[in-house]
Amino acid sequence: MPSPDLAALRFDDVAAAHPDPAFPRFHPRPAQGWINDPNGISYINGRYHVFFQYNPDSTRHHRIAWGHVSSADLVRWEEHPVALRPQQGGPDEYGCWTGVVTDDGGVPTAAYSGVHGAGGHSQVVIARGSEDLVRWEQTGHVAASMPNDGRVTAVRDPFIFRFNGRRYAMQGAGLASGHAALLLYTVEDLSDWKYQGIWLTSENPVASEYTPAEIWECPQLVRVADSSGVSGNSGSRSAGESAGDAGTWLMMFSLWLSGDAHEHANGVGHLVGSLTEDPATGLPVFTPRGGGKSDLGRDFYAPQIVALEDRALLWGWANEGPGRDGRRGRSQDEIDAAGWAGVLTFPRELSVVDGALAVSPAPEVDAYRGALTASQTAGSVVLPPFAEALITAGAAIGDGTGGGAGGGNTAVELLLVGDGGRQSVFSGTLEPGEELRVFVDASLVEVYRAGSVATTLRAYPAPGEEWQLHFPAGAAADVWELKQPK
């Protein structure tokens, strides 16, 4: 039996007891406090582990620790005690920031950005975990410090990957020139990283087009399934550790700009390309051939990807906000009163289709489908507060004979409607034969378009408001109420 201070909490119980109607019931997080970036995503000893940036003491981004939830099936989640905390006098005294968890010779090991003081540079700090990843030993060991490279002005967010049987790491960086960059390390010994120099920068013409930033935060690099027939990942079970050399590789960044203040105007971008070996140095070379936006919503940032044997899964952070794109938000006073801030998305499967990133909810999410509240409904439909809607377009969509919001065009719109009026939360189009999946979990909206990237949004229903989904003629919607499976 675990000691009381290490006992897990069922997220179902946490959500059911929460007094705020905007609190999610199907996206696990603690009942109180601030959360942001997902960290340390891993599949170890038969369980998925998701850590995250966490301030358990307030709704503000300060003195960040690592929270921890886990699941055997991606559906039923448990909350564990705080995993990592800032250590007085240690290299992470100012915060345990973004990083990964990897299996290092059978020992779960965290590699994360630690900051000693306000305004200081981050260092890669190592912590070792128990077999169940619940107990952690923080000795303050530093595996990599700020590189002695005058071009590098900022560095953060370590990520580990494997290529051609060797272990490497990268960190996001900013340069004195104003460009974003990746730094490359060889990691034969996880406790001692060897700096290999600046690996890629936003001066690259493909990177400049698709991933413009001053700092590339939360860099990710995984091998992904490709519709051209290229196989996916093999043998890896920790964030960043994808095996194999050929095939299609996905690199993803959170696009930091000075003055962002958690608004993240550039959002998250990605590059699709190949990884080859430099014949002169033996080091990997990433060659991007395309890219794009990784999410089309304004409330999505700092995703992390884990490469598993047969798929790549992503979680992202959906933050609170003052109201973006005309949507009703929450003020800081309202957030403080609610006592919590931040949500993580559903786990998402990644692949490349016709050269472009395709994002879909993990199939396990289907387990949340409860009662069918609407079947093949045309025109518009009211959604429960916790719902999934599947909209399917026919071949004759938009012929003008239905009652869709577009009045005969191909528009789809998700609205909050009440006595005081209506606000548009999501709007888009639907082409013949397309499918849209729309999830509503209290104040979190996720929209998935088959063969494309997702859209992540936050919206806060006022008392008396209801969710309405409008869609064009020639389309039909099935709606399920989300329910925890027994």
Side-chain angles (χ1 to χ4, degrees), residues 184-390:
L184 180 67
Y185 300 79
T186 52
V187 188
E188 292 184 13
D189 180 351
L190 199 61
S191 64
D192 185 19
W193 297 17
K194 304 298 185 183
Y195 178 58
Q196 301 299 318
I198 296 172
W199 195 32
L200 182 72
T201 80
S202 58
E203 292 179 279
N204 177 285
V206 180
S208 176
E209 179 179 357
Y210 295 112
T211 56
E214 295 170 39
I215 298 175
W216 281 334
E217 292 194 306
C218 307
Q220 314 286 302
L221 178 63
V222 296
R223 188 165 172 245
V224 293
D226 192 315
S227 63
S228 67
V230 177
S231 60
N233 302 299
S234 62
S236 175
R237 292 179 177 266
S238 300
E241 298 219 5
S242 53
D245 50 4
T248 297
W249 288 75
L250 175 72
M251 188 175 276
M252 190 174 290
F253 310 108
S254 295
L255 306 175
W256 186 90
L257 299 171
S258 57
D260 261 355
H262 295 302
E263 286 303 300
H264 310 305
N266 278 15
V268 178
H270 63 269
L271 303 172
V272 175
S274 61
L275 207 57
T276 56
E277 184 176 292
D278 185 322
T281 66
L283 296 174
V285 176
F286 178 76
T287 304
R289 59 177 181 264
K293 285 286 189 183
S294 305
D295 191 282
L296 301 180
R298 282 282 285 111
D299 303 320
F300 178 88
Y301 200 70
Q304 187 169 97
I305 307 170
V306 58
L308 303 175
E309 287 187 358
D310 57 350
R311 59 179 175 171
L313 290 177
L314 172 150
W315 279 257
W317 165 43
N319 61 339
E320 316 299 318
R324 303 177 179 95
D325 303 330
R327 286 172 282 120
R328 181 190 308 122
R330 275 186 163 176
S331 68
Q332 186 61 58
D333 287 345
E334 290 172 321
I335 293 170
D336 290 342
W340 65 279
V343 184
L344 302 185
T345 65
F346 278 140
R348 300 174 175 181
E349 283 195 0
L350 308 180
S351 62
V352 170
V353 177
D354 297 328
L357 178 62
V359 179
S360 60
E364 288 87 343
V365 171
D366 291 354
Y368 291 135
R369 286 180 174 175
L372 186 68
T373 63
S375 177
Q376 293 298 291
T377 300
S380 66
V381 65
V382 174
L383 304 184
F386 308 93
E388 177 193 351
L390 173 62

Side-chain angles (χ1 to χ4, degrees), residues 9 32 95 122 124 128 130 135 219 226 295 297 314 326 363 379-380 435 440:
L9 299 174
Q32 300 292 315
S122 73
V124 178
R128 306 285 183 173
S130 59
R135 301 168 182 82
D226 192 315
D295 191 282
L314 172 150
S380 66
E435 284 188 352
V440 175

